[in-house]
């Protein structure tokens, strides 16, 4: 029976990988680089992906694991994912509309199925859905009035969001707040600061104990020679920059074999030049060897540097840098030729410096095509305004990103997000080339074809 279950799990993983491989290519054009950096088969590996979109692992896993080893697809790799995927109503939280369908999805239990195909939960004690915090509080404190569990400030926020009286909410049992009526609030991400001080400590300790058990399970897997796929940042980047790396990867690696290596996986989306399918660049950096023996700070620094040095510069980042720079210099008006020359010239500089660049940016003709798409996108988002047949004016406004905790900002503030990505990429490397200045772009505009 155990052998049959293993065969079924392997077949399920292969089927899912195939579906994902096909599915993501319906909406994305994907380029993989650095697959030659995959270590030899049979070694324990921690696949460390930088995390920008929920779809990242769906794009990366099938191709990378299929290239590495057939057994990696079928059984040798576990996947550490957000713990709320194993909790009730997960599908309702990620697919909130339409409401009737979302409610039906919430009835489907996923935990057993996810474990069967090799996924394992890992807690993020700093950022979890409010619904999970409330369920932990019910487990720890019982079904007491909400005012005895939740902080006054959070109750006021809840009342304001729900359009109800705070006094009425304060008197209801905590379980009543898990009602479907409050689904919009329940799926928001938060920390344990929503609780009263005494409750905060007890609930947080409860979640910490769950995290310790999860880390022990994953460390034991690495110690047996298994491999693991995870996101060291623990969440999506909200502003485009690589986020802080949590302590979890180091704790996992310490429990693994000394020869365990880390494979850094960077991903970059050219999301402001979309025509039909979004261009995505996945880049593998050289492995970080004997990672369990490295101090935590050194491991984090090497991992962050590997992500940034292997990631690709795209038209989205370079064109956004041009707009921001023109605005900062007080010359927001520009021509299409100036934009094309600026992108092409900076791409050439970056390539000479040994950085990874979308190869389409190295030819003026393809740069012009991408620049036109970029300007169409920017005009729809009111980031630029057309002032003539080939002239534009940047109208970028604020570069701040205001999103909820744990939410990516590329939808609400695409220009600021891309600008942050660019500055992050340029923050590493020897003699990173500066952006082409607006004045230089204007002087060289006649060279664009």
């Amino acid at each position: 029976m155990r052998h049959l279950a293993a065969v079924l799990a392997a077949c399920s993983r292969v089927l899912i990988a195939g579906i994902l491989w096909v599915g993501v290519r319906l909406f994305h054009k994907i380029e993989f680089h650095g697959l030659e950096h995959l270590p030899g088969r049979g070694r324990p590996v921690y696949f460390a992906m930088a995390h920008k979109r929920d779809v990242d692992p769906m794009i990366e896993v099938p191709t990378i694991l299929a290239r590495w080893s057939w057994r990696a697809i079928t059984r040798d790799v576990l996947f550490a994912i957000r713990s709320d995927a194993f909790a009730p109503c997960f599908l309702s939280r990620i697919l909130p509309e339409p409401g009737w369908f979302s409610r039906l999805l919430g009835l489907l239990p996923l935990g057993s199925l996810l474990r069967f195909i090799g996924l394992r939960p890992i807690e993020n004690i700093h950022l979890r859905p409010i619904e999970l915090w409330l369920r932990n509080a019910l487990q720890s404190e019982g079904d007491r009035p909400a005012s005895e569990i939740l902080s006054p400030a959070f109750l006021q926020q809840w009342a304001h969001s729900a359009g109800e009286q705070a006094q009425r909410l304060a008197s209801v049992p905590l379980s009543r707040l898990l009602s479907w009526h409050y689904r919009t609030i329940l799926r928001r991400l938060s920390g344990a600061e929503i609780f009263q001080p005494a409750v905060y400590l007890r609930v947080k300790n409860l979640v910490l104990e769950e995290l310790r058990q999860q880390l022990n399970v994953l460390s034991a897997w690495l110690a047996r020679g298994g491999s693991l796929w995870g996101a060291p940042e623990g969440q999506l980047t909200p502003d485009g920059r690589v986020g802080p790396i949590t302590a979890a990867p180091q704790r996992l690696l310490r429990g693994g074999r000394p020869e365990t290596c880390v494979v850094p996986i960077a991903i970059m989306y050219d999301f402001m030049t979309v025509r039909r399918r979004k261009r995505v660049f996945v880049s593998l950096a050289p492995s970080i060897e004997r990672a369990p023996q490295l101090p935590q700070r050194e491991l984090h620094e090497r991992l962050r540097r590997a992500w940034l040095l292997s990631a690709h510069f795209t038209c989205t980042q370079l064109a956004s840098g041009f707009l921001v720079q023109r605005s900062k210099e007080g010359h927001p008006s520009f021509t299409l030729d100036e934009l094309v020359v600026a992108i092409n010239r900076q791409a050439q500089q970056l390539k000479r410096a040994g950085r990874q660049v979308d190869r389409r940016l190295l030819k003026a003709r393809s740069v012009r095509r991408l620049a036109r798409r970029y300007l169409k996108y920017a005009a729809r988002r009111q980031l630029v305004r057309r002032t003539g047949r080939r002239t534009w004016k940047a109208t970028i406004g604020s570069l701040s990103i205001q999103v909820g905790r744990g939410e990516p900002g590329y939808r609400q503030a695409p220009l600021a997000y891309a600008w942050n990505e660019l500055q992050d990429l340029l923050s590493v490397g020897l003699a990173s080339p500066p952006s082409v200045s607006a004045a230089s772009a204007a002087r060289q505009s006649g060279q664009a074809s």
Side-chain angles (χ1 to χ4, degrees):
M1 183 63 70
R2 182 175 298 178
H3 177 70
L4 177 60
V7 171
L8 288 175
C11 292
S12 299
R13 286 170 61 126
V14 172
L15 177 61
I16 292 170
I19 292 172
L20 292 177
W21 191 93
V22 174
V24 297
R25 280 161 176 77
L26 296 176
F27 306 99
H28 303 84
K29 290 183 178 180
I30 307 168
E31 291 186 18
F32 282 87
H33 300 266
L35 290 172
E36 68 275 8
H37 296 312
L38 285 169
R41 298 174 185 176
R43 293 185 59 189
V45 176
Y46 179 68
F47 294 93
M49 68 171 188
H51 209 4
K52 289 182 176 290
R53 310 283 196 276
D54 285 324
V55 76
D56 292 350
M58 303 176 198
I59 290 173
E60 299 165 353
V61 167
T63 297
I64 293 175
L65 294 191
R67 176 67 176 267
W68 187 43
S69 164
W70 176 253
R71 291 177 58 179
I73 288 281
T74 57
R75 67 176 188 181
D76 284 357
V77 178
L78 293 183
F79 305 90
I81 68 169
R82 50 195 282 187
S83 61
D84 64 305
F86 296 79
C89 301
F90 172 68
L91 292 178
S92 292
R93 287 193 292 274
I94 64 173
L95 296 170
E97 300 297 339
W100 64 269
F101 184 63
S102 179
R103 194 165 191 174
L104 287 176
L105 288 177
L107 301 176
L108 299 176
L110 288 183
S112 298
L113 174 62
L114 296 178
R115 291 179 185 278
F116 181 70
I117 61 175
L119 279 66
R120 296 293 184 269
I122 187 164
E123 293 284 357
N124 181 343
I125 62 172
H126 304 294
L127 206 62
R128 306 166 76 230
I130 289 173
E131 179 179 356
L132 262 66
W133 285 119
L134 297 191
R135 292 187 184 278
N136 289 133
L138 281 171
Q139 180 183 354
S140 171
E141 309 298 314
D143 198 8
R144 294 158 52 190
S147 60
E148 298 179 11
I149 305 294
L150 303 175
S151 70
F154 180 66
L155 274 175
Q156 288 288 346
Q157 294 174 17
W158 188 302
H160 178 75
S161 298
E164 299 182 14
Q165 294 292 326
Q167 290 181 345
R168 193 197 73 80
L169 281 176
S171 62
V172 303
L174 188 64
S175 61
R176 291 277 298 277
L177 298 185
L178 292 171
S179 165
W180 179 255
H181 174 69
Y182 300 118
R183 62 189 182 278
T184 302
I185 301 171
L186 291 171
R187 67 171 178 261
R188 294 176 186 168
L189 300 178
S190 177
E193 65 274 4
I194 65 175
F195 296 117
Q196 297 275 10
V199 177
Y200 168 92
L201 292 175
R202 289 192 291 269
V203 173
K204 193 165 186 179
N205 286 335
L206 177 66
V207 177
L208 280 172
E209 181 57 33
E210 293 178 0
L211 175 59
R212 290 189 193 98
Q213 294 175 10
Q214 293 163 356
L215 291 173
N216 289 338
V217 168
L218 295 173
S219 292
W221 172 257
L222 288 173
R224 294 196 297 270
S227 295
L228 185 65
W229 190 291
E233 296 163 280
Q235 65 179 54
L236 300 177
T237 173
D239 60 5
R241 301 182 182 93
V242 170
I245 297 172
T246 69
Q250 179 68 9
R251 294 183 60 182
L252 287 171
L253 290 167
R254 280 205 306 264
R257 295 184 177 182
E259 68 270 21
T260 303
C261 65
V262 173
V263 174
I265 304 172
I267 190 166
M268 191 63 69
Y269 293 80
D270 193 8
F271 65 96
M272 293 175 72
T273 61
V274 177
R275 188 176 181 182
R276 295 185 183 89
R277 292 187 295 165
K278 190 180 300 180
R279 181 81 62 165
V280 185
F281 299 86
V282 179
S283 307
L284 280 68
S287 300
I288 301 174
E289 299 295 335
R290 306 191 72 81
Q293 300 176 18
L294 296 177
Q296 179 172 303
R297 183 173 180 179
E298 181 181 350
L299 176 62
H300 290 186
E301 289 176 351
R302 290 179 62 178
L303 181 55
R304 179 182 183 276
R305 183 175 177 83
W307 278 337
L308 293 175
L309 285 176
S310 62
H312 275 66
F313 289 86
T314 73
C315 182
T316 290
Q317 286 80 42
L318 299 189
S320 297
F322 174 84
L323 293 188
V324 173
Q325 188 172 342
R326 291 294 295 234
S327 297
K328 288 186 174 182
E329 291 177 352
H331 302 288
S333 296
F334 62 94
T335 66
L336 176 61
D337 286 342
E338 289 175 338
L339 176 60
V340 170
V341 168
I343 295 172
N344 180 245
R345 183 167 179 174
Q346 189 175 11
Q348 296 282 359
Q349 290 178 332
L350 289 163
K351 187 67 175 177
R352 288 194 295 270
R355 303 300 295 273
Q356 304 297 318
V357 180
D358 180 356
R359 62 181 179 272
R360 298 174 299 170
L361 302 183
L362 303 177
K363 296 182 179 179
R365 181 176 296 179
S366 55
V367 173
R368 182 175 294 273
R369 183 169 60 252
L370 290 170
R372 286 197 179 107
R373 292 182 195 170
Y374 177 90
L375 289 174
K376 287 181 180 179
Y377 179 98
R380 289 197 304 270
R381 300 302 298 264
Q382 299 181 342
L383 301 172
V384 298
R385 177 168 52 86
R386 192 162 201 154
T387 57
R389 184 180 176 185
R390 291 192 176 185
T391 58
W392 302 78
K393 183 176 182 179
T395 55
I396 62 177
S398 173
L399 289 175
S400 63
I401 298 179
Q402 303 294 331
V403 293
R405 295 183 63 182
E407 297 178 7
Y410 64 91
R411 292 192 186 95
Q412 294 89 336
L415 182 75
Y417 189 96
W419 168 252
N420 289 338
E421 285 183 324
L422 177 63
Q423 298 309 300
D424 217 20
L425 291 173
L426 292 174
S427 69
V428 298
L430 297 175
S432 296
S435 301
V436 174
S437 71
S440 175
R443 288 195 301 270
Q444 300 293 332
S445 63
Q447 299 177 12
S449 61

